[in-house]
Amino acid sequence: MLSLSAFGCGEPEDDHGHDHGEHEGHDHGEHEGHDHGEHEGHDHDGHDHGEHEGHDHGEHEGHDEHAGHDHGDESEPVHTTEWSETLEVFVAHPILLLRQDAVLVAHFTNLDTFHPATAAVQASIGDTTLRVETTDEPGVVRAQVDGRPAGRFSVLWTVGEETIRSEHTVYPHAAAAHQGEHHHETEQIEVPKEQQWSVPFATQFAELREVQPTSEVSGQLVTPPAGTALVHAPIAGRIVPGRDGIPNPGATVRQNQLLVQLAPTPSSPEDATRARLGVVGAQARVEEAQADLERQQRLLAEQATPARRVAEAERALRVAESSLSASRQALSLYSAAQSGRGRGGWRITAPISGIIDDVDCSPGETVEGGHRIFRIIDPSVLWVRAEVPEGWAARFVAEGNGAFQLLGGEDWHPLDVSEGGTARVVSVGRSIDERTRTVRVTYELVADGELDSTLRVGAALRVAVPVGRPQRAVVVPRSAVLDAAGRSVVMAQVEGELFEERTVRTGAEAGDSIVIESGVDAGTRIVTRGGSYVRLAAHGSETIGHGHVH
C-alpha cells in the first residue's frame, strides 16, 4: 500500500505559524472562559485532571492555568476536504491535541458519479497503518489515530485502487486551536454528504483558461445525403414477404439485401387479357423467325443468298424468343396476382447498409407505384447542421470549437474541431437563405466507436457556434450559474458539507461553459449540478436533511 510520511515538530512556542484555515467557521467558544482557579505552588501544565471530574473548578482558588486541559471531545468537529482527479475525501474529527488519541470519520465520494465510493479503505500515516472500521453508511469509515506530537501530519487513504491524502494539525492545547478561528462574512449552508449522494449532484473547480466565445443558434441533427434511403414501390403491386418476412423497424440490413418482393397487379381487368394475347403474338413471331432462319440456311447452302442473311435471321429469332419469355413472365405475374398465389416478380432491395427506421407495408398489401415502403438510415455518420444569422456569419470562426445541446436536454456535447477532436467542419455556406437570412454551417461528428444512441436523426438542437476572438478568462459550466431573482449566482463549496452563495457577473458564453468576470476566482470549487438543492437547504427546506455519522 502506498503511504505518505507524516511530518511535524516538537511542542512549539506561542506563535506556531501553522495553517489553521481548515477550522474556519467552527464555533469553539464553548472552551473559552473556563475558571479553573489557581492551585498555589502546583504546576498542572499538561497533567491529566481526570481526578477533578464532576467538581466545580471554580472552588480551587489559587490553581495555575491548565493550558493543556483537554476539552476537545466537547468541541464542534474540525473538517478538512481534499480532492483528487477521481476522489473527494471529507474528514471530520475533534480538535487534535497533544498526545491525545482521536477518531477520524472519513467520507469518500466518487467524482465520476458523485455517489459514495464503496471500495475497501486503508489508511496510513507514514509507515504506520491505521485501524479502519466501516460504518452502516456506504462511503463512510472511522480511522483510529493514536496521540501525536504537535504539528501537521498527512493521512494517505487508499480506496480500492485510488489514493488521496488529507492534512491535519495537532495543537499543543485548545487555546492554540482557537487562535486560528475565522468567521465568514457570508452565510454558510450545510448539506450533509448523505444528502449530496441522494440527489443529482456534481462539483468542479472554476478554471482559468483560453476560451472561444460562442453564440447560440438553432440547428438540427441530420445524416449525410448518402446516409438516408427512402425505398419506394417502382410499380403498383402486391407485397410478397421474403423468406424471413418483412424486416421490422430497428432491424439492421446490409446493402443489396432483399427486403420484399412485389407482384405487379393489373391496372384494369383488360391487362391480364392483353398479357395472354401478348404470349400468343410472341409465340407466332418465334415460329415465323424460326421458319425464316431455316429458309435462309437452305438458300445459303445453294449459294443463293449471302451469309449475312442467315445472321440477320438468327438475330430475329433470338429477339422473338426473348419477347416470348417476357410475355410469359408477365402473364405468370398477372395470374399469380389474380389468384393470390405464387412469388413476386420485382425484388425490392436495400440501397444502403443501415437500420430500418420506418416500414409502411404489410404482407399481401397492394401498394401504388411510388408508395414509400421503407426508410433506412445509417447512424454511423451524423451531421450537425446550424443556421447562423446573417449578422454573425462574418464573425464565424471555422477553426474554433463549439458545442450543441438536444432540445429539452441538459448536457452539452462538444464540437471540438482540433486534430483528434470530436467534430470536423464539413461546409460553411457561401450564400444567405433569402427566407431565413441565415448561413448554413455543417459539422460532422467524429467518434472512436459508436455515436451516442441518444443522438437521433432529425432532432432539434441548440448549437453554440464560435464567433469572435479567443480570450483568457475564468470559466464554469453553464449549469453552475443559477438565477436568483434577477441575480446570477453560483454555489461555492467551502468544504465537503459547507457551501456559500456567490453573486457573479457573467460574460461571454463558450460552448457548454460561461465566462465569470467577477465573483469567483479560478480554483474555487463550485456546484455544477444540484445547485438548486443547496439553495433549498439555505432556506430551511424540509427536503434537505441534516445529521449523520461524525
Side-chain angles (χ1 to χ4, degrees):
M1 178 184 67
L2 295 175
S3 64
L4 228 163
S5 300
F7 57 93
C9 59
E11 187 168 342
E13 299 287 328
D14 248 4
D15 185 6
H16 307 289
H18 294 297
D19 178 10
H20 306 289
E22 61 197 300
H23 309 293
E24 289 181 12
H26 295 288
D27 181 11
H28 305 290
E30 60 192 21
H31 310 296
E32 297 178 8
H34 285 284
D35 181 11
H36 304 295
E38 294 180 5
H39 298 279
E40 290 182 9
H42 295 281
D43 182 7
H44 300 281
D45 193 271
H47 288 278
D48 183 3
H49 301 285
E51 64 267 19
H52 300 296
E53 285 182 14
H55 294 285
D56 181 357
H57 299 295
E59 297 175 0
H60 302 283
E61 294 180 9
H63 282 223
D64 192 16
E65 182 179 357
H66 301 281
H69 199 88
D70 179 13
H71 295 286
D73 291 339
E74 301 174 2
S75 68
E76 291 213 5
V78 174
H79 298 145
T80 182
T81 309
E82 300 291 343
W83 293 271
S84 70
E85 291 294 327
T86 56
L87 281 176
E88 176 197 272
V89 59
F90 168 65
V91 185
H93 55 79
I95 293 176
L96 302 178
L97 296 178
L98 179 69
R99 305 298 180 188
Q100 297 294 314
D101 296 349
V103 174
L104 309 183
V105 181
H107 304 66
F108 297 96
T109 300
N110 182 321
L111 296 185
D112 290 328
T113 63
F114 285 88
H115 291 157
T118 56
V121 177
Q122 294 178 297
S124 62
I125 301 175
D127 296 329
T128 303
T129 300
L130 304 183
R131 181 163 56 88
V132 176
E133 298 176 352
T134 59
T135 69
D136 294 336
E137 299 182 51
V140 183
V141 301
R142 290 187 175 93
Q144 180 72 40
V145 175
D146 295 336
R148 297 191 57 78
R152 289 181 66 80
F153 67 95
S154 301
V155 177
L156 187 72
W157 307 89
T158 301
V159 185
E161 297 182 354
E162 307 294 335
T163 58
I164 190 170
R165 182 181 66 179
S166 62
E167 301 284 346
H168 308 275
T169 301
V170 176
Y171 296 95
H173 46 74
H178 301 327
Q179 292 176 2
E181 291 182 2
H182 293 85
H183 297 283
H184 292 268
E185 296 181 0
T186 57
E187 179 184 359
Q188 293 189 331
I189 307 162
E190 182 181 2
V191 182
K193 278 296 170 191
E194 292 76 10
Q195 292 296 326
Q196 297 176 31
W197 293 336
S198 66
V199 298
F201 193 82
T203 65
Q204 72 176 59
F205 291 113
E207 296 180 286
L208 176 63
R209 57 182 173 88
E210 187 174 272
V211 294
Q212 170 65 63
T214 61
S215 294
E216 193 173 305
V217 303
S218 61
Q220 188 178 20
L221 202 62
V222 300
T223 64
T228 299
L230 303 178
V231 182
H232 296 83
I235 61 171
R238 179 172 56 85
I239 299 295
V240 180
R243 179 182 302 175
D244 298 327
I246 298 176
N248 293 320
T252 300
V253 296
R254 63 184 183 280
Q255 189 175 16
N256 297 325
Q257 177 179 328
L258 177 66
L259 303 177
V260 294
Q261 296 189 79
L262 195 64
T265 56
S267 57
S268 64
E270 293 80 10
D271 286 344
T273 302
R274 292 193 186 97
R276 293 189 184 92
L277 292 174
V279 172
V280 173
Q283 181 66 48
R285 287 191 292 274
V286 169
E287 293 174 356
E288 181 180 349
Q290 182 66 42
D292 183 57
L293 175 59
E294 292 174 356
R295 185 171 63 86
Q296 293 297 333
Q297 288 174 339
R298 288 196 303 272
L299 292 174
L300 179 63
E302 298 173 357
Q303 297 184 350
T305 186
R308 63 181 179 82
R309 295 289 187 183
V310 175
E312 290 173 356
E314 289 174 345
R315 285 195 297 271
L317 177 60
R318 288 195 297 269
V319 171
E321 288 174 341
S322 297
S323 177
L324 175 60
S325 177
S327 298
R328 285 173 175 171
Q329 184 179 15
L331 178 59
S332 174
L333 293 174
Y334 283 128
S335 299
Q338 286 178 330
S339 65
R341 297 188 300 272
R343 307 294 295 175
W346 268 265
R347 292 168 55 88
I348 308 299
T349 60
I352 64 172
S353 297
I355 295 174
I356 300 289
D357 185 56
D358 184 43
V359 179
D360 189 12
C361 67
S362 56
E365 179 184 1
T366 298
V367 296
E368 297 296 327
H371 175 77
R372 195 184 80 182
I373 306 174
F374 298 99
R375 182 171 186 257
I376 304 173
I377 62 171
D378 178 6
S380 64
V381 180
L382 294 178
W383 284 1
V384 171
R385 183 174 289 165
E387 305 295 339
V388 180
E390 180 180 4
W392 295 345
R395 295 189 292 129
F396 173 76
V397 182
E399 62 274 14
N401 296 329
F404 70 94
Q405 183 186 56
L406 295 172
L407 201 61
E410 295 182 357
D411 297 330
W412 284 85
H413 303 265
L415 291 172
D416 181 358
V417 299
S418 61
E419 185 176 354
T422 61
R424 70 176 186 88
V425 177
V426 175
S427 66
V428 179
R430 299 302 299 272
S431 63
I432 296 173
D433 186 282
E434 294 182 357
R435 183 177 60 87
T436 62
R437 308 306 299 177
T438 59
V439 174
R440 176 167 293 177
V441 176
T442 304
Y443 296 90
E444 179 182 319
L445 300 184
V446 179
D448 292 336
E450 293 185 1
L451 291 170
D452 189 341
S453 60
T454 63
L455 303 179
R456 294 180 172 85
V457 176
L461 306 174
R462 287 188 286 269
V463 186
V465 295
V467 292
R469 296 180 178 179
Q471 63 184 79
R472 189 167 180 80
V474 176
V475 295
V476 301
R478 292 197 202 186
S479 58
V481 181
L482 307 176
D483 180 31
R487 293 182 300 119
S488 294
V489 300
V490 299
M491 309 308 296
Q493 188 176 22
V494 179
E495 60 180 40
E497 295 184 338
L498 289 182
F499 301 83
E500 289 179 354
E501 181 179 295
R502 305 271 182 89
T503 299
V504 296
R505 184 171 74 247
T506 59
E509 295 176 348
D512 62 343
S513 302
I514 190 168
V515 171
I516 301 297
E517 296 180 346
S518 66
V520 167
D521 296 326
T524 302
R525 193 83 183 181
I526 58 166
V527 179
T528 59
R529 176 177 296 177
S532 58
Y533 290 99
V534 179
R535 295 199 78 238
L536 284 174
H539 294 85
S541 170
E542 295 181 359
T543 62
I544 303 293
H546 297 275
H548 55 118
V549 59
H550 274 176

